Amino acid sequence: MTALELSSPVAVVGTGTMGQGIAQVALLAGHPVRLYDAVEGQAKAAAAAIGARLDRLVEKGRLTADERTAAGGRIAPVESLAELAGCGLVIEAILEQLPVKQSLFEELEKVVGEDCLLATNTSSLSVTAIAGTLEKPGRFVGLHFFNPAPLLPLVEVVSGFATDETAATRAYETARNWGKTPVRSADTPGFIVNRIARPFYAEALRLHEERVADPATIDAVLRESGGFKMGPFELTDLIGQDVNEAVTRSVWESFFQDPKFTPSLAQRRLVESRRLGRKSGQGWYAYGDDAPRAEPHTAAPAKAPESVALHGDLFPADALVDLIRTAGIRVGHGKGVPSSPGFIELPGGARLAPADGTAADAAAEPTIHFDLALDYRAATRIALAPSSRVDEQALREAIGLFQALGKKVSVIGHTPGMIVARTVWMLIDFALDAVGREVADAEDIDTAMRLGVNYPLGPIEWGRRLTAYRVAEALDLLNDEYPNGRYAPSQALRRQAVREEYS
């Protein structure tokens, strides 16, 4: 089944921000576009708003005057659903309320032809449920665009339980014909992106609730060490705390309150206080011209040790050894049996070890854990978590060591898995679980997470780099520390770990 012919009209029902964006995408792809909104006058206003955006594209040189004129002639606001007869595709972008959507598509089914593709842009409701009242649910799909639709390339093409493969393929090819990057997803709560992204927010919120670090420090560590474009607190302020919390709660409830998806009480309190983020002027951070900028905790300068001793393998932080030598610090080798996992012995005898899923206090020796980095050479900040047995001198040695490598240092409370490592392990587990349950294939998952939420690396690829065996081992340790099932490795992760171990 090929993409929808450009001569075939596309209808968009619901002309808010998302509806207008989808209409603009279809319009510039070359389709005639019909706009409908239940609010009188809204469709005409939306057409005018789209026209104004096209004018700005001409001003910026991204659209020619002739293309603008042609596009303007293809858009038509309509006053009734009956005027959508003859459309080849109808995309709904109305209220996220199941009965309202079901009622709309029941009416549309009476109007459009049998070969018309029906699609919902829902981000949180079941595609199967929306189509559940239709006489012919096989032609019904999810086409989940990301906001702003004209700019963001990702589209999740979601097959409901009754969706025909031909319908899903036509929707996929149509999105690709519009210049988008489509990915296929089964109808699961959150689809790909909103399902797999939950730990990015949830782990940061939990760390904050445990008073391990403040929001600004957690955000800075995930950006400057983890390589994420934005930290979870600033990102949820941008999205809107009410929107993000509603998605989290919807996914949690849809998974029958699985502890892996548990919402945050701290975020709930933020929503209840109407501190919704940028749109309200206050969220985790304050906004406005006079609002003070929240700064992450950054350790004061400290003297680097002249030498350290390496014990065992620092995987995945082996690059640190060359960086330490390049900084002029001597690296000796520890005596005795190589340690696994390895550690760096500081002059005072304390151990500097990669985060491994245990709390630093669980170690027999004074231990300082350091966090995971996407790239230890490029990282500009590192987090350290000292155990209660680490004295001030040892901590200063560790701080000075990383500062000598050109890193800012944030000292946080000792906590299992720290910040980046804990977050990334969970993202990997969620992604492999989605592959194992055939929500989507590995390539589509990595594509979706890179394009949909701008992750620096797809979680499947990150898992390959860290190895499933080590990720499963770390989550088992975390599960021992928090024995409620939240961190229990998925069966898909365990199976992948076994395959790697015996390959």
Side-chain angles (χ1 to χ4, degrees), residues 107-124:
E107 291 301 311
L108 283 169
E109 197 172 37
K110 300 173 185 176
V111 171
V112 299
E114 291 188 0
D115 60 345
C116 178
L117 192 65
L118 299 178
T120 175
N121 184 59
T122 186
S123 61
S124 60

Side-chain angles (χ1 to χ4, degrees), residues 309-314 339 341-346 349-354 370:
L310 176 64
H311 295 254
D313 182 5
L314 291 182
S339 172
F343 63 90
I344 297 169
E345 184 180 355
L346 297 169
R351 297 182 175 188
L352 188 58
F370 63 89

